[in-house]
Amino acid sequence: MLKIDRDKQSFSLLDTPTLADVSITERYDLQEFISNSPDEFFKEIGQELFLIGKEVEPSKNVKDRIDLLAIDKEGSCVVIELKRGNDKLHMFQAVSYAGMISQWEPDDFLQLLDDDQQEALTDFLEVDREDINRQQRIILIAEAYDYALLIGAEWLSEQYGVGIICCRIAVAKDSATNSEYLVCSN
């Protein structure tokens, strides 16, 4: 990422440390940043989503938890999985969660929300609440992706219509001001 210096009419490179280099963890930092400012993050990655919750248990049969669970305007459930670095099993984890979530009824989502959040969700949706979770989508967020994961995501998307977005994130740091920035690209 380049910093613009209008006075000198020039660019300078920002530092690009890894998330680990700047001590940003998946669960305690990145997940919290997103859940504390979901509208800003989702807009940055080109999505209109309503955040349902974080660390959501997809099934009583597993101890795993979905990093972030959201719903889009059409009522599709969106499983969002975060990874620091690169993990070949990232997509498998998200696909299994989407499969478990596909068994949920609309009321299962609503039970995760208080009355004000349920009203906000109803205002957000372009469909009736009964249409929640007719489809599931996946958003993978990571610093890097293994080639095999990208090919598998493309195949699932093109051949079977599975909605999968791979969002690459990176940190940029301005050493002059010590400011940190999150760079996102799909």
Side-chain angles (χ1 to χ4, degrees):
M1 177 179 256
L2 298 173
K3 180 179 178 182
I4 298 171
D5 185 329
R6 291 189 180 266
D7 294 332
K8 295 180 184 176
Q9 291 190 319
S10 65
F11 296 122
S12 59
L13 280 173
L14 294 175
D15 296 332
T16 54
T18 66
L19 292 174
D21 291 340
V22 292
S23 300
I24 293 177
T25 64
E26 292 165 30
R27 178 177 287 169
Y28 301 109
D29 296 309
L30 189 57
Q31 183 174 294
E32 289 301 313
F33 296 154
I34 296 169
S35 66
N36 290 333
S37 50
D39 295 338
E40 292 80 0
F41 181 78
F42 295 147
K43 185 174 183 176
E44 181 65 21
I45 64 170
Q47 299 291 307
E48 282 190 88
L49 301 174
F50 186 94
L51 183 64
I52 296 296
K54 61 184 178 183
E55 293 298 313
V56 176
E57 185 179 85
S59 171
K60 298 289 183 202
N61 298 323
V62 298
K63 292 182 181 182
D64 295 342
R65 304 218 181 255
I66 298 169
D67 291 335
L68 298 167
L69 184 64
I71 293 178
D72 67 19
K73 287 193 168 283
E74 292 76 38
S76 294
C77 166
V78 182
V79 171
I80 303 166
E81 277 303 304
L82 311 171
K83 291 292 180 228
R84 192 168 78 167
N86 177 3
D87 185 340
K88 286 178 88 167
L89 298 177
H90 193 184
M91 184 170 59
F92 175 74
Q93 182 182 19
V95 167
S96 65
Y97 291 159
M100 289 179 229
I101 288 293
S102 72
Q103 299 175 357
W104 284 26
E105 297 295 327
D107 283 345
D108 294 325
F109 290 88
L110 298 173
Q111 289 175 3
L112 298 173
L113 305 173
D114 64 29
D115 291 341
D116 291 338
Q117 292 170 318
Q118 286 186 30
E119 186 176 327
L121 175 60
T122 299
D123 293 342
F124 172 81
L125 290 171
E126 293 178 350
V127 297
D128 293 331
R129 287 168 41 157
E130 295 78 36
D131 292 324
I132 291 173
N133 202 31
R134 298 211 184 229
Q135 290 188 330
Q136 298 75 40
R137 297 193 299 124
I138 295 169
I139 297 178
L140 304 176
I141 298 171
E143 287 183 282
Y145 290 96
D146 185 87
Y147 176 75
L149 184 147
L150 292 172
I151 290 298
E154 182 179 52
W155 177 73
L156 284 171
S157 177
E158 290 178 2
Q159 294 293 318
Y160 298 100
V162 177
I164 300 178
I165 295 172
C166 296
C167 177
R168 183 180 181 274
I169 57 172
V171 173
K173 187 170 183 173
D174 184 351
S175 56
T177 64
N178 221 21
S179 296
E180 295 174 320
Y181 304 90
L182 186 69
V183 181
C184 306
S185 59
N186 293 348

